[in-house]
Amino acid sequence: MDRMTSLAIFTSAVEEGSIAAAARRHKITPAMAGRHIDSLEQALKARLLQRTTRRLHVTDVGRVYYQRSRRILEEFEEARREAGELQASPQGSLKIAAPASFAALHLGGPVARYMRDYPGVRVEAIVSDRYADLVQEGIDLAIRIGRLPDSSLVARHIGICRMVMCASPSYLSRVGMPKTPRELRTRLRLAFSEAVSPGDWTLRDSRGRAHVIDGPCQLLANSMQLLLAVALEGGGIAFGPSFIFGDALLRGTLVRVLPSYSAADLGIHTIVPSSRYLSTKVRYLIDRLAMEFGENPPWDQWRKARGSV
């Protein structure tokens, strides 16, 4: 007997609670379904199901074998589906979610190139800094930046962005360039209010020692682009991700403050509700984002231009 068919009938019997119900699911007779399960038990030399006229009982061996069988069948189905999808171009609707500032500054190019290559896909973008519920809102793919909470969602790391501290040349010429983290307490600080600890900036020196700069900030804002605009106008020292400040650092309209100190990098991930039955339209977009953001992200060009590490 075909072993994959036998596995499918066995798992159906466990899930349905009876061999007769499993037979109906697979459109075969109960006797044939029983023979498939008998063939598995004979091959394993172990009882998987205890059968009576009233109920079906799964043995300890059967429960373990069911879990393995379920995974084997899912992987077999996914391999079959992927083989078929490789013959077809992505098409249909694709709903994505991304943080507002990141989407506005960096998602336009990859999405435009994706739509050019796959004109059969209609893209809907939800641009917001809130954490959308992918399952409830029918979102196929979300981009999230920073530490990910534990969840049943499936994540793929597609890049990083560095946290940088910067200010305009005009501001620094007016107040002087800080030489130590302690001096930042006497400067005007611009902070993102949605950060876990908005006013607490942690830097590490070349020896790995932590330096925490805390206390009130001159400006708290829930918009990174507002912090960028204020910093460009000489309003103080801003702290945030390089995908916000990278272009200004490249042009020299902002300069790094305390460049010999570093802060923890932020991971950039794509999130999908499940890796099972991941469609080509989603997979191809994830692959494009990983390619464009992974090794040489556009927001870090200033590092090469200025010889940063």
Side-chain angles (χ1 to χ4, degrees), residues 171 175 178 181-189 213-214 237:
Y171 175 78
V175 303
R182 183 181 296 274
E183 292 181 45
L184 290 174
R185 293 188 175 91
T186 64
R187 303 296 196 273
L188 301 179
R189 295 195 296 134
I213 302 93
D214 52 16
I237 297 173

Side-chain angles (χ1 to χ4, degrees), residues 145-261:
I145 300 171
R147 182 175 299 175
L148 296 176
D150 293 334
S151 74
S152 60
L153 302 177
V154 180
R156 176 177 170 183
H157 185 272
I158 61 169
I160 63 170
C161 70
R162 291 165 176 82
M163 295 294 287
V164 294
M165 192 175 303
C166 53
S168 70
S170 63
Y171 175 78
L172 294 174
S173 66
R174 189 166 73 245
V175 303
M177 172 70 83
K179 295 181 174 58
T180 67
R182 183 181 296 274
E183 292 181 45
L184 290 174
R185 293 188 175 91
T186 64
R187 303 296 196 273
L188 301 179
R189 295 195 296 134
L190 318 175
F192 184 53
S193 61
E194 300 300 314
V196 176
S197 300
D200 295 350
W201 300 353
T202 300
L203 304 176
R204 293 192 178 274
D205 59 28
S206 58
R207 296 182 180 180
R209 295 174 300 190
H211 301 263
V212 179
I213 302 93
D214 52 16
C217 295
Q218 189 75 8
L219 171 66
L220 285 174
N222 67 351
S223 165
M224 290 301 309
Q225 288 174 293
L226 176 59
L227 296 182
L228 170 63
V230 174
L232 288 170
E233 291 294 329
I237 297 173
F239 181 60
S242 56
F243 69 77
I244 292 290
F245 301 112
D247 185 60
L249 289 168
L250 179 64
R251 291 184 285 109
T253 50
L254 292 177
V255 297
R256 285 194 72 186
V257 173
L258 298 178
S260 61
Y261 293 79

Side-chain angles (χ1 to χ4, degrees), residues 24-295:
R24 287 193 295 272
R25 179 191 287 188
H26 292 274
K27 296 180 172 59
I28 60 176
T29 66
M32 178 59 71
R35 285 197 288 273
H36 274 282
I37 294 172
D38 286 342
S39 72
L40 291 177
E41 292 178 333
Q42 290 169 14
L44 294 169
K45 294 182 172 56
R47 178 70 68 181
L48 300 175
L49 302 173
Q50 296 287 0
R51 288 154 276 185
T52 68
T53 56
R54 293 188 175 183
R55 62 192 297 265
L56 188 73
H57 175 71
V58 184
T59 67
D60 290 340
V61 173
R63 279 192 290 272
V64 173
Y65 196 68
Y66 167 78
Q67 295 296 332
R68 292 282 189 179
S69 299
R70 181 76 267 167
R71 287 196 290 270
I72 289 169
L73 291 170
E74 288 174 352
E75 290 174 1
F76 178 80
E77 175 61 22
E78 186 165 358
R80 184 202 62 77
R81 178 189 53 78
E82 287 180 353
E85 285 184 340
L86 286 175
Q87 306 304 318
S89 178
Q91 56 186 323
S93 61
L94 175 60
K95 192 172 184 180
I96 63 177
S101 296
F102 184 84
L105 294 172
H106 301 293
L107 206 55
V111 168
R113 289 183 282 275
Y114 174 86
M115 293 191 300
R116 178 199 63 201
D117 292 343
Y118 308 110
V121 179
R122 301 179 304 279
V123 178
E124 178 184 355
I126 309 299
V127 177
S128 173
D129 288 327
R130 70 177 178 85
Y131 265 28
D133 187 315
L134 274 63
V135 176
Q136 289 290 330
E137 300 179 43
I139 294 170
D140 299 296
L141 165 68
I143 297 173
R144 291 184 178 166
I145 300 171
R147 182 175 299 175
L148 296 176
D150 293 334
S151 74
S152 60
L153 302 177
V154 180
R156 176 177 170 183
H157 185 272
I158 61 169
I160 63 170
C161 70
R162 291 165 176 82
M163 295 294 287
V164 294
M165 192 175 303
C166 53
S168 70
S170 63
Y171 175 78
L172 294 174
S173 66
R174 189 166 73 245
V175 303
M177 172 70 83
K179 295 181 174 58
T180 67
R182 183 181 296 274
E183 292 181 45
L184 290 174
R185 293 188 175 91
T186 64
R187 303 296 196 273
L188 301 179
R189 295 195 296 134
L190 318 175
F192 184 53
S193 61
E194 300 300 314
V196 176
S197 300
D200 295 350
W201 300 353
T202 300
L203 304 176
R204 293 192 178 274
D205 59 28
S206 58
R207 296 182 180 180
R209 295 174 300 190
H211 301 263
V212 179
I213 302 93
D214 52 16
C217 295
Q218 189 75 8
L219 171 66
L220 285 174
N222 67 351
S223 165
M224 290 301 309
Q225 288 174 293
L226 176 59
L227 296 182
L228 170 63
V230 174
L232 288 170
E233 291 294 329
I237 297 173
F239 181 60
S242 56
F243 69 77
I244 292 290
F245 301 112
D247 185 60
L249 289 168
L250 179 64
R251 291 184 285 109
T253 50
L254 292 177
V255 297
R256 285 194 72 186
V257 173
L258 298 178
S260 61
Y261 293 79
S262 62
D265 296 336
L266 298 179
I268 304 174
H269 297 82
T270 55
I271 306 294
V272 297
S274 172
S275 60
R276 186 184 181 192
Y277 305 140
L278 189 65
S279 65
T280 53
K281 64 187 177 184
V282 175
R283 187 182 303 110
Y284 285 11
L285 180 56
I286 292 174
D287 290 344
R288 179 178 294 275
L289 295 174
M291 178 184 67
E292 298 201 20
F293 296 159
E295 295 185 4

